[in-house]
């Protein structure tokens, strides 16, 4: 399995554990005010990361490119900034909203990077049209 796939899958599992922990915390406390953060942890952290990992596992040529690892780090940093800040904000701390926004913008940029990966040809081509080595 390509390294970037393994990283996305391992990261997804960490977020699955965190999502379950957040859900348990809400259930035990009876305070469900942070349910949007719980949903984002599960969807952005667990599901989307796992889907990225699956895509790269099915497309090893694209996974071998440097842009795939840039995508991983950009996305992961954005999610790690956004999700805890969202949780704290929903617990009644609106002053942290700019941090949520910043993390969200990083996540959005990472999704655009992924779009570039998906829509790029299987083999990188040089200006002359001759295939060049994958990055």
């Amino acid at each position: 399995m390509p390294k970037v796939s393994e990283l996305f899958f391992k990261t997804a599992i960490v977020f699955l554990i965190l999502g379950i922990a957040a859900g348990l915390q809400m259930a035990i406390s009876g305070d469900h005010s942070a349910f949007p953060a719980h949903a984002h942890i599960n969807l952005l952290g667990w599901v989307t990361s796992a889907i990225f990992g699956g895509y790269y596992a099915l497309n090893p040529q694209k996974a071998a490119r440097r842009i795939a690892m840039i995508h991983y780090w950009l996305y992961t940093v954005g999610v790690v900034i956004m999700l805890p800040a969202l949780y704290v904000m929903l617990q009644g701390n609106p002053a942290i909203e700019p941090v949520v926004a910043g993390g969200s913008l990083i996540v959005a940029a990472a999704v655009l990077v992924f779009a570039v990966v998906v829509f790029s040809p299987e083999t990188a081509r040089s200006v002359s049209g001759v295939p060049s080595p994958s990055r």
Side-chain angles (χ1 to χ4, degrees):
M1 179 183 313
K3 181 177 181 175
V4 71
S5 294
E6 188 172 344
L7 286 170
F8 267 121
F9 279 122
K10 287 179 178 179
T11 302
I13 293 299
V14 170
F15 281 115
L16 174 61
I17 293 165
L18 293 172
I20 289 170
L24 286 171
Q25 185 274 329
M26 288 188 302
I28 291 166
S29 70
D31 178 5
H32 294 86
S33 61
F35 81 87
H38 168 69
H40 279 79
I41 293 167
N42 287 317
L43 290 175
L44 291 178
W46 159 234
V47 176
T48 306
S49 292
I51 290 171
F52 290 152
Y55 178 84
Y56 285 120
L58 294 171
N59 294 280
Q61 283 186 319
K62 291 183 178 186
R65 295 181 185 167
R66 184 174 38 190
I67 194 170
M69 199 58 75
I70 291 168
H71 168 230
Y72 169 78
W73 285 109
L74 190 63
Y75 186 78
T76 302
V77 166
V79 170
V80 166
I81 291 169
M82 181 185 125
L83 295 180
L86 179 61
Y87 193 87
V88 170
M89 185 184 82
L90 292 169
Q91 292 296 314
N93 298 289
I96 202 161
E97 188 170 4
V99 178
V100 177
S104 299
L105 290 171
I106 295 169
V107 168
V111 170
L112 292 175
V113 169
F114 183 62
V116 169
V117 171
V118 169
F119 287 103
S120 68
E122 195 68 26
T123 311
R125 296 203 175 268
S126 68
V127 176
S128 68
V130 177
S132 62
S134 295
R135 295 187 187 232

